[in-house]
Every structure is written in structure tokens, then in C-alpha cells.
């Protein structure tokens, strides 16, 4: 145990702070507070109880250890030099015999705390790293947990539970982020909601195996955090080698989940690579034609798309050798000579001539046994020696850490991007990695492949898709420009999926498409208005055979695209606001501009309620939060059932506290309100 506290150091930004206590010996700094910025503080304010960085048993810590490494399980780290602080960063260097660890703590201007550790083997023999996790303490007041689960076509289903004694560990061994990923693990004061309560949240920015956890110990200490989940022997460091943990992202808020959302969104938007050009309206061919690729049909689809205002045409799965269905061809990244005798260029040219970008689907990490690639290189599969994992969707995973595999993929993707003049890649990943001898190297290798491809083709944008939304995390977003949020285009399910994916990602990063009247995946029939209102609050697009649409539908789609184009700057830069409501049968979500002079809110009714009598429905009161209390606003319905506010003027405070009465919509109906400051 440390001697006495010598110094207190605070990292502070945007109202959030992390306060460290430093001792006058070589013990690691201890965290005494994570939450609201306490302003100036002295050692006496804190006493000596606190969580050491990388806490272990020698610190008296009985929870999951910060580090497990070595030839023996218990590392005792001691500082090798005094920690380095700035107002927003801490770097700490420590070692034990045979290992050196560097910890990096960075508090961004948006109040997001990024933490990672690098461990280096300084011994003369090998060291195993089994755990290197980032943990932060949370106070007693954190009594409830919110995180997420899900499945294919229904990602990010929230689950709420008591933060009881013991460990709530969300472990993922799928080799990809997962449809059931925790995504964000938040703990908070009892009843914390979208707009109220204190919340402490963590997200692990990693696309391989990982854990998020919340742990409360009998001595009442509680922590949240996580890291990469390594299987035994997965990371063995030879002398001189290092392992770096993924970044763990922490955010604290005293304005409920909206505060967490805001910090994560503002952090992502501050990154230099964040997409800043207007997010183009997409037409994706998947649910329009599936594997039935025919140049004439696709040209007609592109024509129709251009006519309604589409700006990016994406040719999905089915264009490469042998790929007449999902049983063959993965790995053979050559345009199929029987279907595309002149290659993809004629379609790409046609698309470009109509002023649209051309996008192309790949699933680079995968191979079908029925492919030339597999026949030539069966040993390129990611597998234990002499064993094949079971097939899923008739496919295996390639070992991207094998330099020959990496070089082949980089070359084929690069050639296709050049030959077919590709502006955008939809990068899919349709299976879990089962019995993979290593996931860590595979994950790093795919990040490197993204980077290498973008280096060769700086204009290229990449979408992270993984059977829908199974690879959504800040790690993959370092290299990609949007995610495919879910395979379902059912607007009712999408309302929930987008609401909760939006706890992490701002709308411009979430692909959201309007599909046909009868949703392919759920079979549900919904109105075009409902579908359009839902897709408006993302990076909008269509996934529909527009050549089969009626003139009325095409006109409605064109109007919606016009609305999206004139609203996207607001939608893709503003603050996402989710008003607190007792009514769980509907979703209300809004985006408010930075100057609070402009906002769009959608109200979507998902199910029937006892007060939803079709003959005489009781009105509901919609309250719009996040506006400036003293500004005056006008309201207009820009999508959905017409409502005339007759030029009425509403104060911002009144809109939040009293709201406006509207007819309760029928299930699967939605409306979008545009709110403008008077005179703007
Ligand atoms: C899964 C994706 O999520 C879909 O959008 C589509 O691209 C298919 N794969 C194609 O196989």
C-alpha cells in the first residue's frame, strides 16, 4: 500500500474529470474520482481510498485484475519514472521484472476519456499476456446497468438490470463485434433516463473478441471497463515484443443518456477522418435484385434511381465469379465473365454518367470452399492445424495475418477499385470466427487492410457491414465511413435499432434504407411515410426495386429525398435529443442545430395502446427537448399526416414543458416536425 498522498492531479474537460492521487513512492497513481469536474482539490479532500491503475492483488484489489501476464500470474508493477501529466493527459510507465507497461489516458475536449495500455516483454524469454483491461471506479450512486444484446436483424436490444454485487461481464468470443455486442455498458443513478440522472459509460473500440464489465465488490468498490478477450496463448510476446490493448472509451454525464450520446457523437465528429461531405443518398441493389445481376435491369434501376435524386448506386453481392447464389465464389474477386462479359465498367460508367457514385460489395475476409481461391490455397483458411471449423453460410474465414493472403486481397480489391472506378465499398463479414487460432492478429490485419486500401485510393469510402450491424465499434470506425446498421429495413424494428445504435454513433454514420411496402425480413407491411420518416434519421438510402414502383410512390420518394437533402446538414451535425416519455408504445427523437434555431423531430407510433381507439383516439402531447428556453419557434409537419399549426408561435420552454397535442397516430405511422426559430 502506498505511503502518503503527495499530489492530486485532475484531467478535466467539458465538465467531466478524472482525479488521480499520486504517492511519494513508486506505486502507480490511484483514481479517486471519475465524474463531475470538482474544480480545485487537495489531497485532504480525498483521503486514501482509491483504485490504483492496473489494480492487482498486491494492491489489495480482489476484482478482475488490470493485468495478467507472465510466466506467473501476479504482476507487481512499480513506476519506472514519474507520471507525465498535462491538463488532459496522463502517461504512466511502470515495470516488473521482465515486463514494462505504458498507460495512456487522454481526456478529449468533448469529455470522452480514452485509455489504453502497452505491455512490452523486457525479459529474455517469452511472456503471455492474458488480460490487459481498463477499469474506472464508479460511486455507490451507480445502481443500475444498461447494456445491449441482439441478434441478426434485431441488433442493440436494451437490457436493464440492477448493478448488484458480483461481476456483470459481457464477453464476446465471436471473432467480430457481434449482433449481440454490449456496444455501450452504462451504469447510473436509479431510474437514469435519456435526459436525467448521472451515467457512467464505457465502450471498447475493438472488432475482435472483447469484454465489457461492471463489477461491485463486497467492500462496496464498483468499477466499469473492459478490454480485449484473449484466449490462452493467443498473445505470446517474445523478448522485445509489445501488445497494445484496444482503446477503451469512457464517458460520464449528469444529463442522462443524452449527455453520453452527445459526448460520443462530438468526439467522433472531431476526428480528422470523420466524413464531412454531404452524405449521399444511396441506392443499394441487395433487396432490389439479390443475385439476379443483369446489366440491362441494373441500368434501368440506376436510371430510375438518378431520376428520384439518388447520389450513390451500390452493386451488392453477386457480381463476382461463380456467385449465382451464396454457395460459391467468395475469394474470387473478378467480375463474373458469364454475367459481366465486359466487366463492371459499363455499369459503373452508366452510373457515373448519371451523376452518381458507384459502390461495390466485397466480403474480403471470407472464402467459399467452392471457389478457385480455396481450390488453390486451402491452407489460407484461418484454422487450427489440420482442422477446419464448421462452415457457416457455406464459408470459411481467411487468415489475414498470413502475408500472402493480405497481399492477394489488397491486390484484388485494388484492381477492382481501379478497373470498375469504385467510389465506395460495402465491406461485409457474414460469419463468426469459430475455433480461430488467433483473433487478435486477424483484427489488426483487417484494420491494416482497410488502411492500405485507403492509402492506395484516398477517395474511397468504406462501409462496415457484418450481416447487418455485427461490426459496429470505434475500432472499425477508425478506418470506415459508415456502418450498415442492420439487415432489417422494417421501420418498426429500425426505430429501436437506430435509437440505440445512436447511443454510440451519430446519424450520419448509420446506414438507413427505405425498402418496399412488405419488408423482406419480417414480412410486415408498412406505409411509405413510416419507412421514409425512419430512414431520414440516418445516412439515408433506398433498397428497393424502384422500377416496380408506382408513379405515386416515386413522387413520394423524390419528395423525401428533397427533404433529406435540405435537412442533412442539420441531421448530420446537430445534437441528438431523446425526450423522456413514459409512453413505450412510441419513439420520439430529434436533432437540434448547434445554435438551437432549427430542429427536426420524429414521432413514430410502434404499437397500439389502450388509449389508441381508432374511432376517437385520445391526443398525445409531444414535448420537444433540447431547444433554447427563451427562443420562439414555429412548427411544421414535413412528413406524415398533415397538421396545421396555423402560424402559431411557441416558446422553447413551453415546447419542452407543455409540448403540443397531436392526434395519436395508428401503429406503424410516423410524422416528422420541423421546428424553426421565428424569423430564421
Ligand atoms: C449481408 C448484408 O448485411 C446484406 O446487406 C447483404 O449485403 C448480404 N450480406 C449479401 O450477401
Amino acid at each position: 500500500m502506498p505511503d502518503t498522498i503527495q499530489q492530486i492531479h485532475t484531467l478535466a474537460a467539458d465538465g467531466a474529470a478524472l482525479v488521480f492521487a499520486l504517492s511519494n513512492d513508486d506505486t502507480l497513481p490511484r483514481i479517486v474520482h471519475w465524474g463531475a469536474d470538482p474544480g480545485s482539490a487537495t489531497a485532504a479532500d480525498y483521503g486514501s481510498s482509491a483504485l490504483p491503475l492496473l489494480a492487482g492483488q498486491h494492491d489489495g484489489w480482489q476484482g478482475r485484475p488490470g493485468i495478467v501476464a507472465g510466466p506467473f500470474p501476479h504482476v507487481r508493477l512499480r513506476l519506472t519514472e514519474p507520471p507525465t501529466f498535462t491538463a488532459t493527459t496522463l502517461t504512466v510507465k511502470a515495470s516488473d521484472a521482465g515486463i514494462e507497461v505504458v498507460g495512456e489516458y487522454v481526456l478529449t475536449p468533448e469529455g470522452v476519456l480514452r485509455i489504453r495500455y502497452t505491455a512490452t516483454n523486457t525479459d529474455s524469454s517469452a511472456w503471455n499476456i492474458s488480460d490487459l483491461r481498463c477499469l474506472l471506479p464508479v460511486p455507490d450512486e451507480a445502481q443500475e446497468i444498461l447494456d445491449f444484446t441482439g441478434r441478426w436483424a434485431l441488433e442493440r436490444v436494451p437490457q436493464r438490470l440492477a448493478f448488484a454485487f458480483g461481476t456483470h461481464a459481457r464477453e464476446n468470443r465471436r471473432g467480430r463485434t457481434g449482433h449481440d455486442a454490449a456496444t455501450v455498458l452504462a451504469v447510473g443513478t436509479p431510474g437514469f433516463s435519456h435526459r436525467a440522472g448521472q451515467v457512467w459509460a464505457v465502450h471498447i473500440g475493438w472488432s475482435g473478441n472483447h469484454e465489457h464489465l461492471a463489477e461491485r465488490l463486497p467492500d462496496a468498490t464498483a468499477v466499469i471497463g473492459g478490454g480485449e478477450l484473449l484466449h490462452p496463448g493467443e498473445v505470446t510476446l517474445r523478448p522485445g515484443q509489445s501488445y497494445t490493448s484496444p482503446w477503451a472509451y469512457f464517458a460520464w454525464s449528469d444529463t442522462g443518456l443524452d449527455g453520453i450520446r452527445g459526448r460520443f457523437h462530438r468526439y467522433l465528429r472531431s476526428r480528422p477522418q470523420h466524413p464531412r461531405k454531404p452524405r449521399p443518398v444511396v441506392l443499394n441493389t441487395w433487396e432490389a435484385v439479390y443475385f439476379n445481376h443483369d446489366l440491362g435491369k441494373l441500368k434501368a434501376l440506376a436510371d430510375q434511381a438518378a431520376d428520384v435524386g439518388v447520389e450513390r448506386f451500390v452493386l451488392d453481392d453477386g457480381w463476382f465469379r461463380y456467385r449465382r447464389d451464396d454457395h460459391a465464389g467468395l475469394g474470387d474477386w473478378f467480375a463474373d465473365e458469364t454475367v459481366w462479359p465486359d466487366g463492371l465498367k459499363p455499369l459503373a460508367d452508366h452510373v457515373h454518367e448519371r451523376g452518381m457514385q458507384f459502390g461495390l460489395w466485397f466480403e474480403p475476409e471470407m472464402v467459399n470452399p467452392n471457389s478457385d481461391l480455396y481450390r488453390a490455397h486451402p491452407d489460407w483458411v484461418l484454422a487450427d492445424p489440420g482442422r477446419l471449423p464448421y462452415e457457416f453460410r457455406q464459408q470459411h474465414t481467411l487468415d489475414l495475418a498470413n502475408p500472402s493472403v493480405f497481399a492477394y486481397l489488397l491486390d484484388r480489391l485494388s484492381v477492382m477499385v481501379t478497373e470498375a472506378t469504385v467510389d465506395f465499398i460495402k465491406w461485409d463479414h457474414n460469419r463468426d470466427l469459430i475455433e480461430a487460432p488467433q483473433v487478435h492478429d486477424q483484427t489488426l490485419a483487417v484494420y491494416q487492410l482497410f488502411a492500405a486500401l485507403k492509402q492506395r485510393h484516398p477517395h474511397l469510402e468504406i462501409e462496415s457491414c457484418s450481416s447487418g450491424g455485427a461490426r459496429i465499434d470505434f475500432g472499425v470506425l477508425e478506418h470506415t465511413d459508415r456502418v450498415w446498421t442492420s439487415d432489417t429495413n422494417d421501420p418498426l424494428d429500425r426505430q429501436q435499432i437506430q435509437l440505440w445504435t445512436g447511443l454510440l454513433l451519430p446519424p450520419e454514420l448509420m446506414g438507413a434504407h427505405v425498402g418496399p411496402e412488405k419488408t423482406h425480413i419480417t414480412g410486415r407491411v408498412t406505409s411509405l411515410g413510416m419507412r421514409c420518416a425512419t430512414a431520414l434519421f440516418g445516412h439515408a438510402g433506398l433498397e428497393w426495386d424502384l422500377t416496380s414502383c408506382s408513379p405515386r410512390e416515386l413522387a413520394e420518394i423524390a419528395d423525401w429525398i428533397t427533404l433529406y437533402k435540405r435537412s442533412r446538414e442539420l441531421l448530420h451535425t446537430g445534437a441528438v435529443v431523446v425526450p423522456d416519455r413514459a409512453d413505450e408504445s412510441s419513439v420520439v427523437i430529434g436533432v437540434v442545430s448547434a445554435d438551437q434555431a432549427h430542429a427536426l423531430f420524429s414521432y413514430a407510433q410502434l404499437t397500439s395502446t389502450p388509449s389508441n381507439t381508432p374511432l376517437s383516439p385520445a391526443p398525445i402531447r409531444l414535448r420537444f427537448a433540447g431547444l433554447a428556453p427563451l427562443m420562439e419557434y414555429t412548427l411544421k409537419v414535413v412528413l406524415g399526416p398533415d397538421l396545421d399549426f396555423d402560424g402559431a408561435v411557441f416558446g422553447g420552454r413551453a415546447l419542452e414543458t407543455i409540448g403540443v397535442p397531436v392526434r395519436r397516430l395508428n401503429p406503424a405511422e410516423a410524422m416528422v416536425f420541423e421546428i424553426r426559430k421565428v424569423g430564421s
Side-chain angles (χ1 to χ4, degrees), residues 255-307:
T255 53
L257 294 168
D258 269 3
I260 301 292
R261 259 184 207 102
R263 290 200 195 282
F264 283 146
H265 294 184
R266 291 196 304 277
Y267 162 69
L268 287 171
R269 287 171 172 169
S270 74
R271 301 166 311 146
Q273 75 271 37
H274 192 74
R276 290 190 170 77
K277 291 192 200 130
R279 300 290 77 213
V281 182
V282 173
L283 182 293
N284 181 285
T285 61
W286 180 238
E287 290 196 351
V289 299
Y290 291 104
F291 292 103
N292 302 323
H293 286 197
D294 171 84
L295 181 58
K297 168 78 187 183
L298 288 162
K299 279 181 168 178
L301 185 55
D303 289 343
Q304 193 60 79
D307 282 355

Side-chain angles (χ1 to χ4, degrees), residues 63-261:
R64 291 205 179 185
I67 179 166
V68 178
F72 48 85
H74 304 297
V75 178
R76 283 191 184 179
L77 292 172
R78 295 303 215 194
L79 292 176
T80 51
E81 53 187 78
T84 332
F85 283 104
T86 69
T88 53
T89 65
L90 158 72
T91 308
V92 62
K93 290 188 180 162
S95 71
D96 192 2
I99 192 158
E100 191 179 87
V101 178
V102 176
E104 296 164 83
Y105 285 62
V106 180
L107 184 58
T108 73
E110 303 78 27
V112 172
L113 188 65
R114 311 171 73 205
I115 305 176
R116 72 173 180 186
Y117 287 101
T118 299
T120 303
N121 179 356
T122 54
D123 215 342
S124 53
S125 55
W127 273 61
N128 286 319
I129 303 281
S130 353
D131 296 50
L132 195 47
R133 56 173 63 86
C134 304
L135 299 171
L136 287 185
V138 292
D140 289 352
E141 289 77 15
Q143 288 292 331
E144 291 175 13
I145 300 174
L146 167 73
D147 66 14
F148 300 89
T149 182
R151 55 139 165 98
W152 173 70
L154 197 66
E155 295 86 343
R156 274 155 279 288
V157 176
Q159 55 177 8
R160 189 89 181 225
L161 53 152
F163 188 177
F165 287 101
T167 308
H168 172 72
R170 298 298 313 284
E171 298 184 340
N172 169 298
R173 294 182 177 79
R174 297 184 178 282
R176 57 173 167 173
T177 325
H179 293 107
D180 59 346
T183 308
V184 174
L185 186 152
V187 298
T189 46
F192 72 89
S193 63
H194 288 292
R195 303 276 300 167
Q198 281 201 76
V199 184
W200 295 259
V202 59
H203 165 71
I204 303 300
W206 186 244
S207 314
N209 297 334
H210 64 282
E211 63 166 18
H212 288 84
L213 64 89
E215 184 163 49
R216 189 185 295 285
L217 297 179
D219 69 0
T221 325
V223 295
I224 64 168
E228 184 174 7
L229 200 60
L230 297 166
H231 51 247
E234 186 172 1
V235 173
T236 301
L237 300 179
R238 289 193 299 276
Q241 284 188 324
S242 297
Y243 163 81
T244 300
S245 73
W247 286 106
Y249 296 83
F250 294 86
W252 163 84
S253 149
D254 61 356
T255 53
L257 294 168
D258 269 3
I260 301 292
R261 259 184 207 102

Side-chain angles (χ1 to χ4, degrees), residues 152 284 286 291 316-317 323 326 361 363 393 426 428-430 465-469 484 486-487 543:
W152 173 70
N284 181 285
W286 180 238
F291 292 103
D316 209 285
D317 194 357
R323 192 68 167 176
D326 64 9
W361 182 96
E363 195 179 359
R393 209 189 186 208
K426 177 177 177 183
D428 211 339
H429 180 286
N430 281 306
C465 171
S466 184
S467 334
W484 183 223
S486 175
D487 266 358
E543 198 160 324

